Amino acid sequence: MPFLKLPGVHLPHRKSTAGMAEVRMETPASVTLPMSMHIGTPATPVVKAGDRVAIGQVIGAATGPVSVPIHSSVSGTVKKVDAIRMPGGALTPAVVIESDGENRVFEGIRPPEVNDFASFIAAVRDSGSVGLGGAGFPTAVKLNVRDRSALRALIINAAECEPYITSDTRTMVEHTDDLFEGIGLLKKWLAPPRIVIGVERNKAEAIARLRPRCAEAGIELRVLPAVYPQGAEKVLIYHTIGAVVPEGKLPVDVGAVVLNCTTAAFLAHYFRTGMPLVERCITVDGGAVREPKNLVVPVGCAAQDVFDAAGGFLVEPAKVLYGGPMMGTALSDLQMPVLKNTNALLALTAVEAKLPPETACIRCGRCINHCPLHLSPVDIARALKSGNVEAMEAAKAQLCMECGCCSYGCPAGKRLVQQNKLAKAQVRQYLAKKREEADRS
């Protein structure tokens, strides 16, 4: 499929840690494990203050169909079960565990027994797996395809298109065997007619590792232009198999299942060892970080502990982010924990975090040209300003994936992505109210 002029933006890559091997941080004094580290219903705590726990032990049970269990990432004693406020503003229960430094593994850890598709999905759910590229969608829900005969392709997302982040790159380079073992599991139970790995061309070392293994396994390797947001699910589907996900539909509706490469590698490790998702590799970078690196950290450790393991700060950071500078979430407190779907912690200097001043819109259309979904942020902004929710819906505000391309490309410095988020929230409330009125009538 030829590549024409692509929507999106060309970003400075800033992947200075791409060649840095993973380093394991020391066990922290305590961890805080929120019950909501995934899209969907939060888990329910099943421990109380004073309980002794070990690594891999369930401390939060999955609740409802879109949920995953939470496991202890250290051995020690439950200090308290409390509520913490997440960066998005929501309160969620959390289990605080004081580590005993012994790193005892829970005695019930063993590889799962899988005999059919149902037991495969159950095992994936029990692993606590979520999308490790940042989305946090429960993996078992994504893989539980009702009509597997309709699948066109399994797409492994190895694009890693945000600046700074290189944790997926280290998976491809250091855990190549796990990645292909995980793909083998998915091939066995999903039986897709095609398997495609999509990777941006700026990852030469990873591509060199993937190419011979793909040729050996009959897997398609698609080396894609390094254009952000190449790793966005709908964008990747189009650029790998040429399918367009219609409005209101999911990837599975066009026969695609998209899974992050680190998620696939984790599944292999879990099915081999039985150890659930209790740690992950994250990129620690930004101009304020003294020693940028890729750190393997326990889920739930405080951001401050992670930065301390990277040598601390050169200067006081002006902004700290979960994830990358385009779609990352700002932290208000360095005691906030690393989540399952945290692929990076960035500490940016005042210069790096400075936003351009806002000036008048010049109607240049760059926001429209850069949008991967061909939305018109200027129309959404106009409707938001006037309070016209129907116009926001007509402008398809709810389709915005908040990638930030419009804001990045705007010469007037307009906060377009923030306006889109506000518009989406108003459209959601508007549609929910319409449904309630329809139910009553």
Side-chain angles (χ1 to χ4, degrees):
M1 182 174 62
F3 287 98
L4 305 177
K5 185 177 185 298
L6 300 175
V9 291
H10 292 274
L11 301 174
H13 298 151
R14 294 178 182 168
K15 295 183 181 288
S16 61
T17 59
M20 296 182 183
E22 297 176 354
V23 179
R24 186 173 295 275
M25 74 174 280
E26 294 184 2
T27 303
S30 67
V31 295
T32 299
L33 294 157
M35 295 294 101
S36 182
M37 292 191 273
H38 53 268
I39 293 172
T41 309
T44 300
V46 294
V47 293
K48 61 185 185 302
D51 286 353
R52 294 273 291 166
V53 295
I55 296 174
Q57 180 176 340
V58 174
I59 60 167
T63 308
V66 184
S67 186
V68 293
I70 309 295
H71 304 81
S72 179
S73 57
V74 297
S75 62
T77 304
V78 175
K79 181 180 179 180
K80 61 181 178 178
V81 179
D82 204 352
I84 66 169
R85 192 170 298 280
M86 302 297 282
L91 279 172
T92 187
V95 175
V96 180
I97 303 171
E98 290 186 335
S99 171
D100 57 18
E102 297 176 6
N103 292 326
R104 291 177 292 105
V105 174
F106 181 55
E107 61 185 10
I109 296 297
R110 59 180 60 87
E113 293 185 10
V114 177
N115 304 306
D116 52 22
F117 184 72
S119 58
F120 169 71
I121 294 298
V124 173
R125 178 182 168 97
D126 291 344
S127 75
S129 178
V130 302
L132 298 180
F137 192 82
T139 307
V141 177
K142 177 175 285 192
L143 297 182
N144 194 13
V145 180
R146 293 184 179 180
D147 183 7
R148 298 190 295 282
S149 66
L151 273 182
R152 291 175 56 189
L154 166 67
I155 303 169
I156 301 298
N157 189 345
E160 198 169 47
C161 55
E162 280 249 26
Y164 294 101
I165 306 174
T166 63
S167 50
D168 281 348
T169 297
R170 298 318 305 172
T171 291
M172 291 182 275
V173 172
E174 298 185 60
H175 303 287
T176 318
D177 288 345
D178 278 348
L179 172 57
F180 281 88
E181 185 179 334
I183 293 173
L185 282 168
L186 297 166
K187 179 180 180 180
K188 177 179 179 180
W189 295 110
L190 292 179
R194 295 174 65 188
I195 301 175
V196 186
I197 299 179
V199 58
E200 284 192 324
R201 65 165 62 112
N202 61 350
K203 299 169 181 63
E205 185 180 8
I207 292 168
R209 293 292 184 99
L210 297 178
R211 196 179 297 280
R213 297 293 294 269
C214 285
E216 178 184 310
I219 295 170
E220 300 173 45
L221 180 65
R222 296 300 305 272
V223 179
L224 304 168
V227 179
Y228 176 85
Q230 191 67 262
E233 197 169 56
K234 292 180 180 178
V235 175
L236 189 66
I237 289 170
Y238 178 73
H239 289 159
T240 52
I241 65 171
V244 175
V245 180
E247 180 181 351
K249 299 295 183 179
L250 298 171
V252 73
D253 293 313
V254 296
V257 169
V258 182
L259 202 66
N260 170 263
C261 62
T262 299
T263 307
F266 162 72
L267 290 178
H269 180 76
Y270 172 72
F271 276 77
R272 190 172 63 248
T273 68
M275 180 57 72
L277 183 55
V278 295
E279 66 177 19
R280 64 157 307 155
C281 177
I282 65 172
T283 299
V284 188
D285 205 347
V289 176
R290 187 176 299 277
E291 301 170 7
K293 58 183 66 176
N294 290 299
L295 276 174
V296 178
V297 306
V299 173
C301 67
Q304 183 68 69
D305 291 336
V306 176
F307 287 120
D308 288 345
F313 298 127
L314 290 167
V315 296
E316 187 71 19
K319 181 173 286 188
V320 175
L321 298 173
Y322 282 136
M326 296 298 288
M327 295 188 72
T329 304
L331 277 66
S332 60
D333 185 349
L334 290 180
Q335 294 308 307
M336 290 299 298
V338 169
L339 309 177
K340 290 182 179 183
N341 60 327
T342 303
N343 54 5
L345 278 174
L346 303 184
L348 306 179
T349 65
V351 172
E352 291 173 316
K354 185 178 180 181
L355 295 173
E358 283 194 77
T359 59
C361 174
I362 60 174
R363 303 295 190 270
C364 64
R366 290 186 187 178
C367 58
I368 301 170
N369 292 337
H370 287 311
C371 178
L373 299 180
H374 306 291
L375 304 180
S376 177
V378 68
D379 287 341
I380 296 172
R382 186 182 300 113
L384 179 68
K385 186 175 181 179
S386 65
N388 189 336
V389 184
E390 291 182 349
M392 297 178 215
E393 183 188 12
K396 307 297 182 184
Q398 66 271 29
L399 285 183
C400 173
M401 57 181 158
E402 303 171 20
C403 66
C405 288
C406 53
S407 295
Y408 184 86
C410 178
K414 294 295 185 182
R415 314 298 189 246
L416 295 171
V417 68
Q418 288 85 352
Q419 293 176 355
N420 288 358
K421 291 177 75 169
L422 290 172
K424 286 173 66 177
Q426 293 190 24
V427 170
R428 281 196 298 270
Q429 292 174 356
Y430 168 73
L431 294 177
K433 185 177 179 179
K434 283 183 66 176
R435 286 194 294 269
E436 289 176 4
E437 292 173 350
D439 290 342
R440 287 197 297 267
S441 62

